[in-house]
Amino acid sequence: MDRRRTEKNAEALAQGRPTLKTLAFMTGLGVTTVSRALKDAPEIGAETRRRVQLVAKQIGYRPNRAGVRLRTGRTNVISLVLNTEREIMSFVSDIIYGVSEVIADTPYHLIVTPYSRSQDPLDPIRYLVETGSADGVIISRTQPNDPRARYMLEHGIPFATHGRTDMGLVHPYHDFDNYAFAVEAVRRLAGIGRRRLALLSPPVGLSYHSHTVNGFADALSEVGASEVPFNTVSIDHTIEQIRMRTAQVMRREDRPDGFVSSAAAATLAIVAGIEDAGLKLGRDVDVVSKQSSDLLHLFRRELLVVNENFRLAGSELARSVLGWIGGAAPGTLQSLSVPSEVLAYRRSVD
Amino acid sequence: MDRRRTEKNAEALAQGRPTLKTLAFMTGLGVTTVSRALKDAPEIGAETRRRVQLVAKQIGYRPNRAGVRLRTGRTNVISLVLNTEREIMSFVSDIIYGVSEVIADTPYHLIVTPYSRSQDPLDPIRYLVETGSADGVIISRTQPNDPRARYMLEHGIPFATHGRTDMGLVHPYHDFDNYAFAVEAVRRLAGIGRRRLALLSPPVGLSYHSHTVNGFADALSEVGASEVPFNTVSIDHTIEQIRMRTAQVMRREDRPDGFVSSAAAATLAIVAGIEDAGLKLGRDVDVVSKQSSDLLHLFRRELLVVNENFRLAGSELARSVLGWIGGAAPGTLQSLSVPSEVLAYRRSVD
DNA sequence: TTGGCAATCTGTAACGTTTCAGTATATTGA
DNA sequence: TCAATATACTGAAACGTTACAGATTGCCAA
């Protein structure tokens, strides 16, 4: 028996990457003991545990992911599900970096699961669940009644949504308070005398569309300003579409004297449209915009901005998913990011 | 024996996800036969093959990735290795989408492997190779003498670099022709009478730094223009640093009358710096900039731009890696993207 | 008839891990 | 002293797949 073990494991030493068998051979223990020693199981002697862990560290043992996954079903993978056409660009990299930051010192890997315009957004989720390709999922473009969240709840896979749902179901999320953003934006515009405001909102159907629209409406009535309808475009439209629509609106008699914009790139288009109509930002009209990187003030220093931190969102989302996987209650893994004040870069001399 | 098989596999039917055993039971064949039938092995009867494939499709059989990976060592994973601090933002999302597009109808998953400023760039590569976590790797921020490329060649793992190396070693790459970009930019500036040019280059040490610098220098001597040194900053510096340095240079007597900028965000900073110095873009100075999304003309319509398509880069890189994995010769998997003409958005009436 | 051979199909083992059901040894209680 | 029990360890089996080394069948040449 002892001979047999020695023979069998002699080859273990020869091969490249150390496995439990290698460790078992080196320590003279069984693979079971080694396995348990590495995960601090209670029924392993303190000295044995230390010895095994020391040797493991010395020879750079890393558990084989496929082995673990096959045996336990745990993948040690978090999947970030992204729309390949509509996601805001800086959004994506920041979210990824935020997630990366959090999972860096865990065994988790991040896989990006894309889906395209033409696909049912549920497709990638079904794929992940059916193939068991991830232990946790992060989705964006969340809807009030989100079939993906419902599906994942039904199938018991941990997830977190970027944006809240409104289905009476509880799950982890991280959201930026777009209601507060819209309210602050309107108040600010009213504060500098703007009275006829237009909103470039997120696309209809997404949760933060209604949050933004509601904040906008509530604040309008609070400050006694009026709305100039601008809902034939959203931040999902192309730059050109937004630009043309803005120019159109700005050429009318009853044009807005203030804009609230939910995305930085769209704001470029709004300003271009304003100038197409021969009007001047800061004189004829003011614009409050969300931005995720601090660049808009370089574009036009008259712009008023509110910062949204997507990197933070990524971190929070990752933390939430890992928390759920780790057994925390989904209801405790929700967070809301409060907007910064409305910031002005206009020089005081103006 | 027949009884035993039947009993054993009855459970296979009960469980959730179909495996080869499920298929074997349903078709009355052995798992080996099923396995081979699914991958069109030659020694399987034509009718059997069809039958197995039909049933597999019907019940939605998907090979278990962990099983395949454990048995074969193939992970069906491509890893994109990214610096979490220095990568250009739009870059990241576009590359990811480009890669996604290509691997969408393959069994490959995309994992993002980040590394931070503080780390040795070789760390994530070592990790991937040592743990066998990917079948192929894509790296960016390529250097002329790139230790990562060397390491991967030595260890026999397929990869592609975004940017060329210059080590006398052959490997797949995709690169944008930054030499041509710089040449065209200088020619254009010279064409509109600019004679004292400054270059905001990629960071020293990366391959495309020298390409850009060389193109710039060659074209300068070709058109007989002179260089205003501007190499204390690069596109890796912060917006504020670039802006201040630009303002500084523009306040000097011998200031440049033309800039070539290797990145769009940096261009915003250059323009801001120019205006900080009280000068006017298009009158006192012209700027040619690379951009990866069509937004700069909204910023200042006097800007001259050259487009770089990162989504295409992602696709090409993915194709290259998959090609190498598939056995193609690395030397045949190299591509160079030719810059667009220098485009002007300035109105003709100006 | 027999041997050989091609065409199809099959069981077993192995990849590295964890879990189950133990086994051996020392320790305790009566 | 004996049995019961706690402590520390162990082998075998299983997860799903593929590769290896057969096994079975039918057909044909000799």
Side-chain angles (χ1 to χ4, degrees):
Chain A
M1 170 132 63
D2 193 50
R3 159 179 303 270
R4 188 158 57 85
R5 189 206 292 171
T6 307
E7 277 172 16
K8 250 194 143 176
N9 291 17
E11 2 165 347
L13 264 188
Q15 77 196 27
R17 190 171 156 203
T19 70
L20 287 183
K21 214 166 14 179
T22 321
L23 285 177
F25 175 69
M26 295 182 75
T27 56
L29 298 162
V31 306
T32 303
T33 310
V34 172
S35 172
R36 317 210 67 180
L38 287 176
K39 48 176 58 66
D40 288 320
E43 66 267 63
I44 301 295
E47 202 214 302
T48 304
R49 193 200 333 274
R50 267 197 309 276
R51 198 160 57 92
V52 171
Q53 292 181 351
L54 179 76
V55 176
K57 187 158 298 173
Q58 286 292 329
I59 66 173
Y61 167 77
R62 309 259 200 171
N64 178 304
R65 311 191 114 234
V68 176
R69 180 163 170 178
L70 183 57
R71 178 62 235 245
T72 65
R74 277 198 309 104
T75 61
N76 283 324
V77 161
I78 300 292
S79 171
L80 176 63
V81 178
L82 293 175
N83 185 306
T84 28
E85 277 119 13
R86 314 232 176 152
E87 308 282 4
I88 303 166
M89 296 216 290
S90 67
F91 168 89
V92 171
S93 49
D94 279 336
I95 290 250
I96 287 177
Y97 293 154
V99 172
S100 295
E101 231 169 69
V102 170
I103 67 176
D105 35 305
T106 73
Y108 284 89
H109 283 181
L110 171 65
I111 94 174
V112 174
T113 307
Y115 66 100
S116 61
R117 198 196 313 267
S118 54
Q119 276 182 318
D120 183 349
L122 203 47
D123 278 356
I125 310 293
R126 273 203 216 92
Y127 170 83
L128 290 171
V129 169
E130 281 170 11
T131 62
S133 290
D135 298 337
V137 178
I138 296 173
I139 62 173
S140 62
R141 299 185 68 83
T142 306
Q143 303 175 16
N145 188 333
D146 200 299
R148 300 169 301 170
R150 192 183 300 280
Y151 182 90
M152 287 191 279
L153 276 172
E154 275 164 10
H155 288 78
I157 184 175
F159 67 96
T161 61
H162 188 209
R164 284 160 286 178
T165 59
D166 186 20
M167 314 183 283
L169 298 175
V170 48
H171 61 81
Y173 63 77
H174 175 81
D175 204 355
F176 179 83
D177 191 342
N178 286 285
Y179 180 93
F181 158 67
V183 167
E184 289 306 319
V186 168
R187 282 186 187 149
R188 180 56 180 264
L189 288 170
I192 53 179
R194 301 306 183 182
R195 281 286 166 269
R196 306 185 38 73
L197 309 184
L199 170 68
L200 181 62
S201 72
V204 179
L206 303 193
S207 296
Y208 76 128
H209 168 84
S210 25
H211 299 154
T212 309
V213 167
N214 291 343
F216 186 73
D218 290 357
L220 277 187
S221 85
E222 173 195 311
V223 304
S226 68
E227 172 171 13
V228 178
F230 196 60
N231 49 22
T232 54
V233 284
S234 78
I235 58 172
D236 258 13
H237 286 77
T238 66
I239 294 296
E240 269 318 304
Q241 288 170 320
I242 298 170
R243 178 180 187 166
M244 289 174 65
R245 178 74 187 126
T246 304
Q248 213 173 54
V249 167
M250 293 308 288
R251 286 193 179 103
R252 294 202 318 232
E253 199 56 22
D254 55 345
R255 61 168 178 258
D257 57 6
F259 277 90
V260 176
S261 168
S262 288
T267 301
L268 302 191
I270 290 179
V271 172
I274 289 170
E275 293 171 357
D276 287 345
L279 299 169
K280 190 167 176 337
L281 185 68
R283 184 190 65 194
D284 306 307
V285 57
D286 274 296
V287 178
V288 178
S289 175
K290 269 207 296 187
Q291 68 174 357
S292 61
S293 51
D294 200 29
L295 292 176
L296 277 181
H297 67 286
L298 294 176
F299 174 56
R300 296 288 185 272
R301 65 170 186 274
E302 294 84 3
L303 282 171
L304 303 165
V305 299
V306 173
N307 291 313
E308 175 169 7
N309 188 340
F310 283 124
R311 190 160 188 149
L312 172 71
S315 297
E316 285 300 315
L317 288 166
R319 249 187 284 276
S320 294
V321 181
L322 293 185
W324 197 357
I325 293 173
T332 65
L333 301 167
Q334 306 172 329
S335 60
L336 194 60
S337 179
V338 178
S340 69
E341 277 182 289
V342 179
L343 303 171
Y345 291 101
R346 198 190 313 222
R347 289 183 179 167
S348 46
V349 292
D350 285 2
Chain B
M1 170 133 58
D2 193 47
R3 157 178 304 271
R4 189 158 56 85
R5 188 206 295 173
T6 306
E7 276 171 16
K8 251 195 142 175
N9 291 18
E11 0 163 348
L13 262 188
Q15 78 197 25
R17 189 171 156 205
T19 69
L20 287 183
K21 211 160 27 176
T22 322
L23 284 177
F25 176 67
M26 295 182 75
T27 56
L29 297 163
V31 305
T32 303
T33 310
V34 173
S35 172
R36 317 213 66 182
L38 287 175
K39 47 176 58 65
D40 287 320
E43 65 267 63
I44 301 296
E47 202 213 301
T48 304
R49 196 206 324 279
R50 268 198 308 275
R51 198 158 58 91
V52 169
Q53 291 181 352
L54 180 76
V55 175
K57 188 159 298 173
Q58 285 292 329
I59 66 173
Y61 167 77
R62 309 257 201 173
N64 178 304
R65 311 190 115 235
V68 176
R69 179 164 170 177
L70 183 56
R71 179 62 237 245
T72 65
R74 278 200 308 105
T75 61
N76 283 323
V77 161
I78 300 293
S79 171
L80 176 62
V81 178
L82 292 175
N83 185 305
T84 29
E85 277 119 12
R86 313 231 177 151
E87 307 282 3
I88 304 166
M89 296 216 290
S90 67
F91 169 89
V92 171
S93 49
D94 278 337
I95 291 250
I96 287 177
Y97 293 154
V99 173
S100 294
E101 231 168 69
V102 170
I103 67 175
D105 36 306
T106 74
Y108 284 89
H109 283 181
L110 172 64
I111 95 174
V112 174
T113 307
Y115 66 99
S116 61
R117 196 194 315 268
S118 54
Q119 276 183 318
D120 183 348
L122 203 48
D123 279 355
I125 310 293
R126 272 203 215 93
Y127 170 82
L128 290 172
V129 169
E130 281 170 10
T131 63
S133 289
D135 298 336
V137 177
I138 296 173
I139 62 173
S140 62
R141 298 184 69 82
T142 307
Q143 304 176 14
N145 188 333
D146 200 299
R148 301 168 300 170
R150 192 182 299 281
Y151 182 89
M152 289 191 279
L153 275 172
E154 275 164 10
H155 289 79
I157 184 175
F159 67 96
T161 61
H162 187 210
R164 284 160 287 176
T165 59
D166 186 20
M167 313 184 284
L169 298 174
V170 47
H171 61 81
Y173 63 76
H174 175 81
D175 204 355
F176 179 82
D177 191 341
N178 286 285
Y179 180 93
F181 157 68
V183 167
E184 288 306 319
V186 168
R187 283 188 186 148
R188 179 56 180 263
L189 288 170
I192 54 179
R194 301 305 185 182
R195 280 288 167 267
R196 305 184 39 74
L197 309 184
L199 170 68
L200 180 62
S201 72
V204 179
L206 303 193
S207 295
Y208 76 127
H209 167 84
S210 24
H211 299 155
T212 309
V213 167
N214 291 342
F216 185 73
D218 289 357
L220 278 187
S221 84
E222 173 195 312
V223 303
S226 68
E227 171 170 13
V228 178
F230 197 60
N231 49 23
T232 55
V233 284
S234 77
I235 58 172
D236 258 14
H237 285 78
T238 66
I239 294 294
E240 269 319 303
Q241 288 170 321
I242 298 171
R243 178 180 187 166
M244 288 174 66
R245 177 73 186 125
T246 304
Q248 213 172 55
V249 167
M250 293 309 288
R251 286 193 179 101
R252 294 202 316 233
E253 198 57 20
D254 55 346
R255 63 169 177 257
D257 57 6
F259 276 90
V260 176
S261 168
S262 287
T267 301
L268 302 190
I270 290 179
V271 172
I274 289 171
E275 293 171 356
D276 287 345
L279 299 169
K280 190 166 174 338
L281 185 67
R283 185 191 63 194
D284 306 307
V285 58
D286 274 295
V287 178
V288 178
S289 175
K290 269 207 295 186
Q291 67 173 358
S292 60
S293 51
D294 200 27
L295 291 176
L296 278 181
H297 66 287
L298 293 175
F299 174 57
R300 295 287 185 274
R301 64 172 186 274
E302 293 83 4
L303 283 170
L304 302 165
V305 299
V306 172
N307 291 313
E308 175 169 6
N309 188 340
F310 284 124
R311 188 160 188 149
L312 171 72
S315 297
E316 285 300 315
L317 288 165
R319 249 187 283 277
S320 294
V321 181
L322 293 185
W324 197 356
I325 292 172
T332 66
L333 301 166
Q334 306 172 329
S335 60
L336 194 61
S337 180
V338 178
S340 68
E341 278 181 287
V342 178
L343 303 171
Y345 292 100
R346 198 191 312 220
R347 289 181 180 169
S348 47
V349 294
D350 284 3

